[in-house]
Amino acid sequence: MAILLVPACILILGLLVGPLCLMFRISLNELGPTQLMVEALSADNYVRAATDPYYQQIVLTTLGVALLCTAITLVIAFPAAYWLGRVENRWKSVVLIATLFPLLVGNVVRSAGWMALLDRDGLINWGLARLGLIAHPLQLMYTPKAVVFGIIAVVLPYMIITVSSVIESIPLQLEEAAANLGASPIVVFRRVVLPLALPGVAAGCTLVFVLCMNTYATAVLLGGPRFKMMAPAVYDQFIRSNNWPMGAALAFILLLFTMAFTVLGSLGFARRYGKVPRGPSERLAPA
Amino acid sequence: MAKLTVERLKKQFGTSIAVDELTLEVAQGEMVALLGPSGCGKTTTLRMIAGFVAPTSGRMLLGGNDITRVPPHVRETGLVFQSYALFPHMTVAENVGFGLEMRGVSRAQRGPLIAEALGLVRLSHLADRFPKQMSGGQQQRVALARALAISPKLFLLDEPLSNLDAKLRAEVRTEIRSLQQRLGLTTLIVTHDREEALTMADRLVVMEGGRVRQVGSARELYEEPRDAFVAEFVGRCNLLPATREDDERVRTRGGLLLSSRRRADESSSASTLAIRPERIAIEPGHHAEIKGQLEAVTYLGAHTEYQVLLGESERVVVTRPTPVRDDPMLSVRTNDPVSLTWDTEAPRLIPETAKD
């Protein structure tokens, strides 16, 4: 049966692990004065990325944006996810499709739409000016806020879907039992729903954080040339500056942070209490 | 503990009526069973009493206080769920202590109360386990302890035994009943299992289609069912469509005249002759008044069941202790002639469906 894994393994080894090894080797090379790349074995690029304020800023901005976006996304997604995980009527599938719909729109297309909305001549400025609320157009584009909101719009569905599936797996009877024992709705949430939803919250946050860290199109299109996040910086080093070693080093730093948070996410919430006891076929729904 | 009064409670989901004008009383220290087939409204009734379903109309009083619009977490009922609904992320002790914690009982004071509740269900030694580390029977007892720990005004049991195997079921049944009597718990149990209801409850409420069909003790329901539904639901019963011929006899649809003394309370709409299989005597040959032909014999160990054809098309089932030694019934074979006799007081002529 293991033979079934072969095609996927070949693809992953050949197109992911291989190039990554290659890139790690490149990251240890140096940028020469006359040649683009000089064979070397030095950690210079990593040292520079860690000490040069320019690169420090990029790393910090990226981490900050990713953490902020993840936190806001969680707060926005949880109520919707709870609703989706609990409700049982025809609206559920409608909302589910509506939630997934944004994923059908590519990031570039979506960001272009945001540009039309937020630009100096965009819909919002036009509307506000027509209403006489502003004399001069507001600077909405090319701000960190625009990037944060843009990213949240992209990653929200992932968080909602991940968290709602874990909510769905928490029997409603547990909430009823807690209420029966005297817990108010807030206490039920804090003592029963949230602890049991933590694995899903952790998975959702990890997924969303990774997506945020690697944001490219949204950062470039809504953040503008001066707003630097890591994925665009990697691209710049490779394509604009032709500095492959530095680009490779940045890429690895990005990978490192992403993986570190993934591991943290899965370790931090790895507590397991075993299977939730399930009732038999007769449900507690109106009999 | 307090008295529960339910007055004309009604619940409508869209156009379907789940519970229709249900009136019910559970006296202090009494155990009442809501008994009925699935979909009869018994679970919805329980959920309205616990506060999880808002009634469409009617009201509920617990210990004299109107609880109809009181949110579930301040109702002071102790509910044991069919699925037990133990908190999987808490130990047994934390589960049992949860209700006390919600009532602001300090950690130090909770200890002895938790120990006492676990002692009631003989689980003191498993206080530090998580629910998933326990058997179904043990989880069930934790659920009982958790509900009892808060000293509820009303003890509610939702199909508490349906997830247990047959042997354990009999054991837990006795245990719940003795706890209920010892602690004087005002208890409402919902079940579709008539044996469970008959053996545990002081009074039974038979429900069907959202309505109460009959309320009474196990003996009353079994021996004086108001209608054919109740007669059949609380135990095996022969039901033959029939009309009153005279004070001593009825005529079946098939034209047979069968003895059945008229009762003072007999309904004019009575159209079904009900007689329990064990109230009929059977003998070989055609020497008695009611003559038939043996169609099938089923050996059930202690009892044997005989299916007898009367006249053209009417069948009755007779049960009796399995014949031994030189009992003449031992030699009776399928298709042999047999005769039936019964006490003229044994059968009842009752309506198909009793009207209020």
Side-chain angles (χ1 to χ4, degrees), chain B residues 112-127:
Chain B
L113 293 170
I114 293 170
E116 190 190 328
L118 283 176
L120 285 177
V121 295
R122 297 174 285 110
L123 279 181
S124 311
H125 58 298
L126 298 179

Side-chain angles (χ1 to χ4, degrees), chain A residues 173-174 176-185 187 191-192 195-196 273-280 282 284-287, chain B residues 13 39 43-44 47 52 72-73 77-79 81-83 85-90 99 101-103 132 139 146 158-159 163:
Chain A
Q173 283 98 326
L174 294 185
E176 292 178 341
N180 181 255
L181 292 165
S184 65
V187 177
R191 295 292 306 275
V192 176
L196 293 175
Y273 313 100
K275 281 198 205 109
V276 167
R278 282 290 194 166
E282 197 187 338
L284 275 175
Chain B
F13 292 106
T43 299
T44 305
R47 290 173 62 75
F52 301 136
H73 67 279
T77 63
L79 173 55
F81 288 80
Q82 185 178 19
S83 62
L86 298 178
F87 306 125
H89 56 304
M90 298 182 198
E101 192 187 334
M102 293 301 118
R103 280 159 180 74
K132 62 139 189 185
Q139 290 186 22
R146 186 176 68 175
D158 183 18
E159 305 265 3
N163 283 347

Side-chain angles (χ1 to χ4, degrees), chain A residues 69-234:
Chain A
C69 288
T70 306
I72 298 176
T73 305
L74 178 61
V75 171
I76 298 175
F78 204 101
Y82 182 85
W83 187 88
L84 268 176
R86 278 287 174 254
V87 84
E88 275 179 46
N89 58 32
R90 61 207 157 94
W91 291 107
K92 179 177 176 155
S93 47
V94 174
V95 172
L96 204 61
I97 290 166
T99 307
L100 292 171
F101 185 73
L103 299 180
L104 303 178
V105 183
N107 281 347
V108 175
V109 174
R110 189 204 325 255
S111 294
W114 280 69
M115 288 169 82
L117 191 72
L118 300 175
D119 200 57
R120 290 180 73 84
D121 307 319
L123 188 68
I124 291 179
N125 274 321
W126 178 82
L128 289 174
R130 281 294 292 261
L131 288 169
L133 293 172
I134 51 169
H136 306 287
L138 298 172
Q139 180 62 43
L140 299 170
M141 280 290 290
Y142 306 138
T143 61
K145 277 198 197 93
V147 177
V148 168
F149 283 116
I151 293 176
I152 290 171
V154 177
V155 297
L156 194 59
Y158 294 98
M159 186 73 93
I160 292 179
I161 299 301
T162 315
V163 175
S164 76
S165 70
V166 76
I167 297 275
E168 214 163 338
S169 75
I170 303 171
L172 183 62
Q173 283 98 326
L174 294 185
E175 291 183 47
E176 292 178 341
N180 181 255
L181 292 165
S184 65
I186 292 168
V187 177
V188 172
F189 174 78
R190 196 164 50 79
R191 295 292 306 275
V192 176
V193 178
L194 196 57
L196 293 175
L198 272 190
V201 170
C205 286
T206 306
L207 177 65
V208 163
F209 180 79
V210 169
L211 290 171
C212 293
M213 284 293 286
N214 291 287
T215 300
Y216 181 82
T218 315
V220 170
L221 295 174
L222 297 181
R226 276 186 301 180
F227 185 80
K228 292 284 183 214
M229 285 181 71
M230 290 186 80
V234 170

Side-chain angles (χ1 to χ4, degrees), chain B residues 195-328:
Chain B
E195 201 185 325
E196 205 169 301
L198 291 171
T199 52
M200 291 171 84
D202 298 305
R203 279 192 307 141
L204 290 84
V205 177
V206 178
M207 286 182 73
E208 204 256 335
R211 289 172 160 275
V212 172
R213 283 299 189 89
Q214 191 171 354
V215 181
S217 67
R219 178 177 289 272
E220 281 165 358
L221 294 184
Y222 191 80
E223 296 183 6
E224 298 159 28
R226 274 183 69 203
D227 64 24
F229 176 83
V230 175
E232 208 169 23
F233 199 78
V234 297
R236 195 99 191 261
C237 197
N238 291 299
L239 298 169
L240 299 172
T243 49
R244 176 58 65 192
E245 182 78 8
D246 54 41
D247 282 351
E248 292 294 329
R249 294 177 304 170
V250 296
R251 187 179 290 279
T252 68
R253 190 184 289 161
L256 297 170
L257 278 173
L258 300 175
S259 70
S260 164
R261 180 165 296 158
R262 187 199 292 273
R263 277 159 218 273
D265 62 350
E266 192 169 290
S267 161
S268 57
S269 64
S271 59
T272 304
L273 187 74
I275 182 161
R276 299 278 176 205
E278 71 278 10
R279 300 294 298 273
I280 306 174
I282 185 168
E283 60 183 83
H286 275 165
H287 311 299
E289 189 187 348
I290 308 164
K291 299 171 179 65
Q293 189 183 8
L294 188 63
E295 281 197 324
V297 181
T298 311
Y299 173 76
L300 298 170
H303 290 85
T304 296
E305 189 180 289
Y306 303 90
Q307 186 179 307
V308 178
L309 179 70
L310 300 179
E312 298 286 303
S313 59
E314 281 160 326
R315 287 177 175 80
V316 292
V317 169
V318 179
T319 55
R320 51 155 288 177
T322 294
V324 290
R325 308 258 312 254
D326 44 3
D327 192 307

